[in-house]
Amino acid sequence: MNKTFSVISILAILLASCPFNSFAQNSYSFKVNINWQDSITVEDANLVPTGITEGTFSFSDLLANAYNYNVHSMQESANFDEVSFTLQLPTGFESLGCNVLFVDNSPSPLAIFKRGNRLSMSFIQGYSAFHGSYKLICF
């Protein structure tokens, strides 16, 4: 009995420290800053890296990615003054719900839409209402 309990205790400790358990948290957060320098900075704000692509991306690069479904991208509407930014979430986020929190009175997006591993924020009034800081929480 004591040997069985000891083995189970050791296994429990080993399993708790394994990498596949490193995502055992309630929520994940990412920072998105839409800068005045025509760039967007994406930062993983988690203690354990999630695999999201971090960095600062120019608007021109993001616009070029508009129809590429495995990177961050931007799109402009042809019919009216709307701009949207799409964040490519890490693999495994398909079933998670995500909310966007606004930082420092940043403009509120017209719409926030998530499909699979992609979350889009659309803004009316084009680039004039597009700059701000956002915190994305997925759970």
Side-chain angles (χ1 to χ4, degrees):
M1 175 71 174
N2 284 341
K3 287 184 180 183
T4 304
F5 179 75
S6 297
V7 169
I8 291 173
S9 298
I10 291 170
L11 283 175
I13 291 168
L14 289 174
L15 288 175
S17 63
C18 287
F20 66 80
N21 196 38
S22 61
F23 288 97
Q25 58 185 32
N26 294 329
S27 64
Y28 307 91
S29 66
F30 308 99
K31 295 178 184 175
V32 176
N33 290 312
I34 304 172
N35 308 310
W36 286 103
Q37 297 84 9
D38 289 346
S39 64
I40 296 179
T41 301
V42 177
E43 181 183 344
D44 191 338
N46 300 286
L47 293 176
V48 177
T50 62
I52 196 166
T53 303
E54 295 183 277
T56 299
F57 309 92
S58 71
F59 281 8
S60 59
D61 288 342
L62 292 168
L63 286 166
N65 291 338
Y67 300 102
N68 189 346
Y69 292 99
N70 60 359
V71 291
H72 307 312
S73 61
M74 276 176 61
Q75 232 173 334
E76 297 173 289
S77 175
N79 299 327
F80 49 92
D81 203 13
E82 182 181 331
V83 181
S84 62
F85 168 65
T86 300
L87 186 71
Q88 176 67 41
L89 296 169
T91 301
F93 278 60
E94 298 90 350
S95 62
L96 299 184
C98 297
N99 286 333
V100 174
L101 305 175
F102 313 110
V103 180
D104 299 330
N105 297 319
S106 294
S108 176
L110 168 70
I112 299 169
F113 182 77
K114 181 177 181 292
R115 177 179 288 164
N117 276 9
R118 300 178 62 75
L119 184 130
S120 297
M121 301 189 307
S122 296
F123 298 82
I124 55 172
Q125 301 172 14
Y127 294 102
S128 62
F130 193 54
H131 302 88
S133 297
Y134 303 91
K135 185 173 183 181
L136 173 65
I137 306 287
C138 294
F139 49 91

